Amino acid sequence: MVNKRAVMKCWVCTRQARGFGHADIRFLVGCAARYPVDWVFCSQRCQRCFHKLYEAGVRLLNRGDVRISVKEGDVIDPSEAEMAAMRRCLKPLGEAANEVGMDRALSTYSQDEALLLINAVVTTYVEAMVQAHEASKYPPLRMLGHDSYG
């Protein structure tokens, strides 16, 4: 049996976390709630972005203005930020496909050529999502303590 190590994902951009975390100092040292295990980050940039949104969320909760109900079906539709990030991927994808050869079928691409396309899309998408989070005034719903998102 293969031992598969769980890969922690960055809370902001979902890339692999790389040792940046969060300690919730509202809780005492030794309390498990002080160290949320899923609040980990790939970089200081994502960590700073999270803390900016976290601070805004705490302010909202302290005001008592949070009146959000979340219902989620079986299929998750992309958010406006995700759709915008996907649209931003079109130009880099086209440029990478043009470099490989637009007249060729995808099935004829070598592994390196396919990875060139994937890298263009993934890098652009992740960058766009981080920028969207950095520009956000309010945190995503998952930070506001709702448990109906799964």
Side-chain angles (χ1 to χ4, degrees):
M1 180 173 212
V2 177
N3 182 11
K4 293 185 179 181
R5 237 176 87 200
V7 176
M8 298 295 291
K9 292 183 180 180
C10 177
W11 190 90
V12 174
C13 70
T14 71
R15 282 190 158 168
Q16 182 176 351
R18 295 195 175 104
F20 298 93
H22 170 80
D24 191 337
I25 59 172
R26 295 177 300 168
F27 299 98
L28 296 174
V29 173
C31 177
R34 185 178 175 99
Y35 308 100
V37 295
D38 60 338
W39 290 359
V40 292
F41 313 96
C42 67
S43 64
Q44 286 184 348
R45 178 182 182 192
C46 283
Q47 188 180 41
R48 281 191 305 271
C49 176
F50 169 84
H51 283 99
K52 177 182 142 196
L53 295 174
Y54 182 83
E55 185 179 312
V58 168
R59 278 196 306 270
L60 275 174
L61 290 172
N62 288 340
R63 285 194 343 219
D65 289 359
V66 180
R67 293 182 213 101
I68 300 170
S69 67
V70 178
K71 286 190 174 185
E72 183 176 309
D74 294 336
V75 177
I76 300 171
D77 294 325
S79 67
E80 289 180 32
E82 290 167 334
M83 287 303 298
M86 286 184 228
R87 283 191 286 281
R88 281 186 51 187
C89 292
L90 293 174
K91 184 177 179 184
L93 174 62
E95 290 170 352
N98 191 43
E99 185 177 324
V100 172
M102 295 282 272
D103 56 336
R104 293 176 47 204
L106 186 58
S107 62
T108 65
Y109 285 16
S110 69
Q111 182 178 352
D112 288 341
E113 291 169 334
L115 288 173
L116 182 70
L117 268 64
I118 292 167
N119 186 49
V121 171
V122 170
T123 301
T124 304
Y125 182 84
V126 168
E127 178 65 22
M129 289 304 295
V130 171
Q131 287 175 0
H133 278 89
E134 286 176 333
S136 294
K137 184 175 179 182
Y138 299 107
L141 294 177
R142 67 180 173 163
M143 194 180 135
L144 296 179
H146 298 285
D147 58 3
S148 60
Y149 59 83

